[in-house]
């Protein structure tokens, strides 16, 4: 398999990785947090709804660069620093997709990069 990786201009990387890897029929989008957004200057700490919105905006920017849309998302992984943020995240999430919704996993983790409260990654079928 030939692997091709890409980055976008509106989002930073918090480590040595690509924003998306093209693996043939599927695109694997690396996890994004609100703190990866280059043009966000306000402190979003504690505002899980806003952090979720910005994380999705990051992913959708990379998806647009790749010529795909949210309609092609087949799997979403959401990482939260506490499940107390689940409902607020879910309210934003349900605005980003329509039925039938993509498969999803949501787990709580001890910490996320850059002090974020939510990180989201996706898999898209071309």
């Amino acid at each position: 398999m030939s692997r091709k990786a890409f980055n976008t201009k509106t989002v930073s990387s918090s480590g040595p990785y690509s924003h998306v890897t093209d693996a043939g029929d599927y695109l694997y989008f690396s996890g994004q947090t609100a703190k990866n957004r280059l043009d966000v200057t306000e402190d979003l700490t504690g505002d899980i709804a806003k952090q979720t919105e910005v994380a999705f905006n990051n992913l959708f920017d990379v998806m647009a660069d790749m010529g795909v849309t949210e309609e092609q998302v087949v799997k979403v992984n959401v990482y939260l620093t506490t499940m107390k943020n689940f409902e607020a995240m879910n309210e934003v999430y349900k605005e980003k997709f329509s039925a039938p919704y993509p498969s999803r996993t949501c787990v709580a983790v001890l910490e996320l990069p850059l002090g974020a409260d939510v990180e989201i990654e996706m898999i898209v079928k071309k």
Side-chain angles (χ1 to χ4, degrees):
M1 176 193 79
S2 176
R3 178 181 68 196
K4 297 177 185 172
F6 304 92
N7 288 320
T8 193
K9 295 179 182 176
T10 59
V11 181
S12 68
S13 295
S14 52
Y17 62 87
S18 300
H19 294 141
V20 59
T21 299
D22 184 338
D25 289 340
Y26 292 90
L27 296 170
Y28 293 84
F29 290 83
S30 295
Q32 291 292 324
T33 73
K35 300 200 176 195
N36 289 113
R37 188 78 188 185
L38 293 174
D39 60 0
V40 171
T41 57
E42 63 186 293
D43 182 11
L44 302 178
T45 303
D47 188 342
I48 194 65
K50 185 66 175 172
Q51 285 189 45
T52 302
E53 179 77 29
V54 174
F56 271 116
N57 291 344
N58 291 348
L59 286 160
F60 291 166
D61 280 356
V62 181
M63 289 169 61
D65 285 351
M66 299 303 297
V68 294
T69 69
E70 63 274 3
E71 296 296 321
Q72 294 166 271
V73 174
V74 294
K75 178 73 163 94
V76 179
N77 293 328
V78 179
Y79 305 93
L80 299 170
T81 54
T82 175
M83 289 309 268
K84 292 177 184 174
N85 288 333
F86 180 81
E87 287 185 43
M89 176 280 300
N90 213 40
E91 287 301 309
V92 176
Y93 183 96
K94 70 182 180 182
E95 295 173 5
K96 300 299 177 182
F97 300 102
S98 56
Y101 296 99
S103 299
R104 181 178 81 182
T105 299
C106 183
V107 296
V109 298
L110 180 62
E111 289 181 283
L112 289 168
L114 307 174
D117 296 314
V118 59
E119 182 171 355
I120 304 168
E121 64 183 21
M122 296 182 193
I123 299 172
V124 171
K125 176 121 173 46
K126 293 195 239 175

